Amino acid sequence: MPQLASISLDLDNQWSYMRAQGIPGWDQFPSYLPQLVPKILQVLEQLDLRLTVFVVGRDAEVAENIPCLRAFVAAGHSLGNHSYLHQPWMHEASVEAIRAELEQAEQAIQQATGQILTGFRGPGFAVSRELLALLQDRGYRYDASVFPTYLGSIVRRASLRGVPLAHRPRRKPQFGTFADGFRPLRPYRWQVNRQTLLEIPVTTLPILRIPIHFTYLHFLAQRSRSLATVYFHLALGLCQLFRMEPSFLLHPLDFVGGDQVPELRSFPGMGMRSDRKCALTVQYLKTLQRRYRLMALSDYVEVVAQRDRWRTVVL
């Protein structure tokens, strides 16, 4: 039987990317969801693929976005909490402020879709002891915020490449710390205040801990499609060699290029045309389906939660 693997989508909206680069107008909350979500859903339907969609609460309060979120649910995809305002520094806030972020997102997404959320992914892979403790207290089954790479600072610089200094945001996205590169790659449990919470890390390359999520593949493919393909197959081969069950991550920008969203043209991988970029995403997804029993992250959580042996990380 093929090895298990999980997949999820962080439904980051146009305004959150614009804010990350300090692009004026982000505070008007421009949204590409009504145009982009049908395209994403079409691809997933063609591949008969289900995934877990981490939703930003602020987007669930906008009338034009609500049909998009409901369409994910109607198509059999599960939803998770991706915070209310997608602030990559939310883990640095007070306990009261973090609690408010979680509550506002939960209420907005439940009101829009009827879904009760049991999983969380921090914006910019934000994670802290206080945040994990609040997730435990609120009855979450799992967190998926850890990005085990040593290259957080490099990823941060790449995300701001081409942005004039005057436009760069005062508070920059973190994308994890160097210490996160030492975190386990396989699922484990956090122990906080004598309680435990399941963690499903976003998989990085075994040993080297280099990113392998789709945005990074498109970043490579913009320079050399052959290089990206070779790297992807190498990464999958190492995961299978180490008998890992990888967790793969998608973003909306994996389905669109700068020709359709010119405001985000400077983001990594956005120099490709939308049709070419979407075709590459479909190719990569088909490769995963051939090599793994690929399932939504929330479904994978239900499988691994039944296992007896766990590594526990105490905070």
Side-chain angles (χ1 to χ4, degrees), residues 6 20 45 88 100 106 112 117 168 192 202 224-226 272 281-282 304 311:
S6 61
E45 182 180 2
E106 292 163 2
L117 309 179
R168 294 191 179 187
V192 184
V202 176
S224 169
R225 181 168 176 171
S226 297
M272 283 192 289
T281 295
V282 170
V304 299
R311 178 171 181 176

Side-chain angles (χ1 to χ4, degrees), residues 99 102-103 106-107 117 133-140:
R99 181 184 292 110
L102 296 173
E103 289 179 352
E106 292 163 2
Q107 293 169 5
L117 309 179
L134 285 170
L135 293 175
Q136 291 174 330
D137 292 343
R138 302 185 70 77
Y140 280 75

Side-chain angles (χ1 to χ4, degrees), residues 13-16 18 25-33 59 64:
N13 208 343
Q14 180 177 332
W15 61 266
S16 65
M18 291 174 64
W26 74 264
D27 52 354
Q28 300 302 309
F29 297 98
S31 174
Y32 51 37
L33 298 186
D59 289 324
E64 67 175 359

Side-chain angles (χ1 to χ4, degrees), residues 122-240:
F125 308 106
V127 65
S128 69
R129 188 180 193 281
E130 292 75 18
L131 174 54
L132 293 169
L134 285 170
L135 293 175
Q136 291 174 330
D137 292 343
R138 302 185 70 77
Y140 280 75
R141 286 185 59 79
Y142 70 95
D143 176 72
S145 303
V146 171
F147 185 36
T149 180
Y150 312 113
L151 305 179
S153 62
I154 295 175
V155 174
R156 178 167 59 249
R157 287 197 296 271
S159 72
L160 295 172
R161 184 180 179 184
V163 180
L165 289 176
H167 289 171
R168 294 191 179 187
R170 181 176 60 86
R171 303 189 71 176
K172 300 177 178 63
Q174 184 176 4
F175 300 118
T177 66
F178 182 79
D180 287 329
F182 297 93
R183 302 284 187 195
L185 291 179
R186 292 180 172 84
Y188 57 95
R189 289 190 179 274
W190 293 110
Q191 182 175 321
V192 184
N193 299 334
R194 298 185 180 180
Q195 300 181 71
T196 62
L197 179 71
L198 181 61
E199 178 68 42
I200 310 293
V202 176
T203 301
T204 55
L205 189 70
I207 303 176
L208 297 179
R209 304 298 182 100
I210 303 172
I212 61 175
H213 57 280
F214 281 42
T215 300
Y216 187 74
L217 295 176
H218 289 304
F219 171 73
L220 294 177
Q222 186 171 310
R223 287 150 179 79
S224 169
R225 181 168 176 171
S226 297
L227 173 63
T229 300
V230 169
Y231 175 74
F232 187 44
H233 284 278
L234 171 65
L236 299 185
L238 282 175
C239 287
Q240 292 182 309

